[in-house]
Amino acid sequence: MGEVLALVEARLLTAFGEPDARAAVTFLGTDRIEVLRFSDGDVVRYATLGMSASPMSDPTAALADPVKGPRAELVLTVRAGLAETDKVLRPLAVLAASPQVEGVVVAPGASLDVGEPLWPGAPFTSVLVAEPGGLVEDLDLDEPMDPVRFLPLLPMTQNEAAWKRVHGAGALQEKWLNGKTDLRDPLRRSVPLD
């Protein structure tokens, strides 16, 4: 477990440089989850560290495989200085702990909801899990372990989350693209969904 996390942290440092802050959260019955903050000009990135220590397993499986299975960490990018986005640390840790706590497999296209604003005044309580490979390359591990994927999170308003449940992740991303939506704006309004 420690070896995997050391490799994951090295990959994050290669992609984003040294973190300027880090926080750790431990939930009862789970491994520790850290959230690292990387400031880069007018954007700030938050990356989890700890979710990939164990593979995610199918909640219907009788036994969880301790070696094989998908592994991931979460990355959220927002514009700096527009909101108290540092308060996202605990919600991000909650999302990163969800495979251990709830037995969910976090994958692209999924919606994750924390049930409260991601930070004070945020119009978002949930995120869309996007495709990996853009900001941070997948981290290959020794066989038979699956690679660690770094999954971008895109904050969704309640209306967007409801619309996505009906129409799908691809349709929502198309609406964002067509509406020239700044997904890094921590205070943005919902994209028009008519």
Side-chain angles (χ1 to χ4, degrees):
M1 174 176 111
E3 280 182 38
V4 170
L5 294 184
L7 293 170
V8 168
E9 184 169 1
R11 177 60 54 97
L12 287 169
L13 298 184
T14 299
F16 301 137
E18 283 294 321
D20 59 356
R22 63 193 313 148
V25 180
T26 305
F27 302 101
L28 189 62
T30 67
D31 295 325
R32 174 177 140 139
I33 302 286
E34 284 190 88
V35 179
L36 283 59
R37 182 183 72 192
F38 301 90
S39 296
D40 182 15
D42 68 338
V43 298
V44 60
R45 292 188 172 89
Y46 301 93
T48 63
L49 179 62
M51 182 178 170
S52 61
S54 301
M56 295 180 275
S57 58
D58 183 337
T60 62
L63 283 174
D65 189 318
V67 178
K68 294 177 80 173
R71 293 175 189 256
E73 295 291 352
L74 308 175
V75 180
L76 173 70
T77 304
V78 292
R79 297 224 175 277
L82 301 177
E84 289 183 77
T85 56
D86 280 352
K87 303 283 177 145
V88 78
L89 301 179
R90 184 168 175 76
L92 264 183
V94 167
L95 296 178
S98 61
Q100 291 180 61
V101 175
E102 299 170 24
V104 298
V105 175
V106 177
S111 299
L112 304 174
D113 197 314
V114 292
E116 61 185 34
L118 293 175
W119 50 81
F124 321 106
T125 62
S126 62
V127 293
L128 174 65
V129 181
E131 290 291 335
L135 287 173
V136 187
E137 286 183 35
D138 291 354
L139 173 64
D140 290 325
L141 301 174
D142 292 339
E143 292 288 338
M145 293 188 283
D146 288 19
V148 176
R149 302 169 85 198
F150 297 86
L151 302 172
L153 301 180
L154 308 174
M156 292 187 292
T157 65
Q158 288 182 332
N159 287 345
E160 290 169 341
W163 198 86
K164 181 251 174 198
R165 280 192 293 277
V166 174
H167 300 281
L172 177 58
Q173 288 177 306
E174 196 171 306
K175 283 276 187 196
W176 283 336
L177 192 62
N178 292 338
K180 296 183 174 51
T181 307
D182 180 2
L183 296 173
R184 295 177 173 182
D185 181 351
L187 300 172
R188 74 171 179 84
R189 297 185 184 279
S190 182
V191 69
L193 297 168
D194 47 1

